[in-house]
Amino acid sequence: MPGSIIITGAGSGIGRVTARTFLQAGWRVGLIGRRADALNETAGDSGALVLPCNVTDAAAVDAAFDRTAAEWGRVDVLFNNAGTGLVTQTPDQVDPDEFRRVIDVNVNGVFNAARAAFRVMRAQDPQGGRIINNGSVSAHAPRPGSIAYTASKHAVTGITRSLSLDGRPFNIACGQIDIGNALTEMAEAMTRGVPQADGSNRIEPVMDAQVVADAVLHMASLPEGANVQFITVMATNMPFVGRG
């Protein structure tokens, strides 16, 4: 049976496609993002719960989860999707403030949402739920010039593993989807050419972001007691296996 899900970064890209996929499947969907107008565009006339807030603001994230729990009685799933990156730069070119900004969104933001979800899922009756973190193929192998993004996605993997362990006593499962070259605004550069490990600049294959949304729906729909711990969904011929 469809349940309730909160999706962060729901105003665009993978978050928007995933939100609409869950809505079409009959789920109750809460939309978190910085821009209310973008969230409203995602929601349309679906009745989705629009929850404008910045994931780096822990108090605001807590309030969004509290509102959702009050509205629906429970939160079954969190898709911890919000993230950001930098333009390709060697480490000496990266502004420390920009590095901190990426970590704040991709690590602290993921923690803030996971913390709030864990709190609600632990307290609700029946107890439990599922947290799905958006990782990246960069959690396995870096792209050139991606030190901030790659470091953040390795941290997400650590968060996923810790949540999986700490959630066991409370029936809270956690899994991670590592995505490669889903065609969104963020990945549009792949179609024009991006730096490769050998120093060249080449166009890379991409895939429809709907494939990612379908995989998240599968992960979220598993029966209690079953979990996808890690899944990699990628454009088949992208230069991931063997890169670096």
Side-chain angles (χ1 to χ4, degrees):
M1 288 288 292
S4 58
I5 183 171
I6 290 179
I7 298 173
T8 69
S12 63
I14 287 168
R16 172 172 286 177
V17 175
T18 303
R20 289 175 173 171
T21 298
F22 274 80
L23 287 164
Q24 289 166 6
W27 286 63
R28 293 172 295 181
V29 180
L31 308 172
I32 286 181
R34 291 177 296 118
R35 296 181 298 120
D37 59 338
L39 297 179
N40 284 319
E41 188 176 340
T42 296
D45 59 1
S46 66
L49 194 57
V50 174
L51 305 161
C53 71
N54 191 323
V55 293
T56 65
D57 183 341
V61 172
D62 280 344
F65 274 80
D66 288 341
R67 181 184 165 197
T68 304
E71 190 96 7
W72 295 337
R74 63 184 295 108
V75 176
D76 295 305
V77 180
L78 162 67
F79 180 34
N80 223 344
N81 168 70
T84 191
L86 299 177
V87 298
T88 300
Q89 296 171 305
T90 55
D92 57 306
Q93 297 172 318
V94 176
D95 185 308
D97 288 338
E98 285 293 285
F99 186 93
R100 280 188 286 270
R101 180 180 65 82
V102 172
I103 297 301
D104 200 21
V105 175
N106 293 7
V107 182
N108 296 336
V110 166
F111 166 73
N112 289 338
R115 172 181 173 274
F118 200 104
R119 172 177 58 81
V120 170
M121 291 171 181
R122 181 176 181 174
Q124 62 195 11
D125 184 19
Q127 189 180 60
R130 193 181 301 272
I131 297 169
I132 301 169
N133 292 329
N134 187 344
S136 170
V137 294
S138 289
H140 304 272
R143 285 189 174 278
S146 67
I147 192 167
Y149 186 78
T150 296
S152 74
K153 292 303 183 177
H154 275 70
V156 170
T157 299
I159 290 172
T160 298
R161 294 186 188 280
S162 290
L163 288 169
S164 296
L165 182 59
D166 293 340
R168 284 180 189 171
F170 311 108
N171 199 30
I172 299 170
C174 183
Q176 180 169 315
I177 183 165
D178 294 328
I179 301 163
N181 288 17
L183 184 55
T184 63
E185 298 94 325
M186 185 180 288
E188 190 273 333
M190 309 292 175
T191 65
R192 294 181 280 107
V194 289
Q196 306 295 313
D198 63 4
S200 65
N201 205 72
R202 293 201 297 274
I203 293 170
E204 293 189 8
V206 294
M207 65 177 178
D208 191 335
Q210 184 62 52
V211 176
V212 177
D214 292 341
V216 176
L217 179 61
H218 169 69
M219 295 171 75
S221 302
L222 289 173
E224 184 177 332
N227 186 44
V228 173
Q229 186 68 67
F230 290 96
I231 183 173
T232 300
V233 180
M234 53 177 271
T236 304
N237 294 326
M238 68 172 288
F240 164 52
V241 176
R243 88 180 182 197

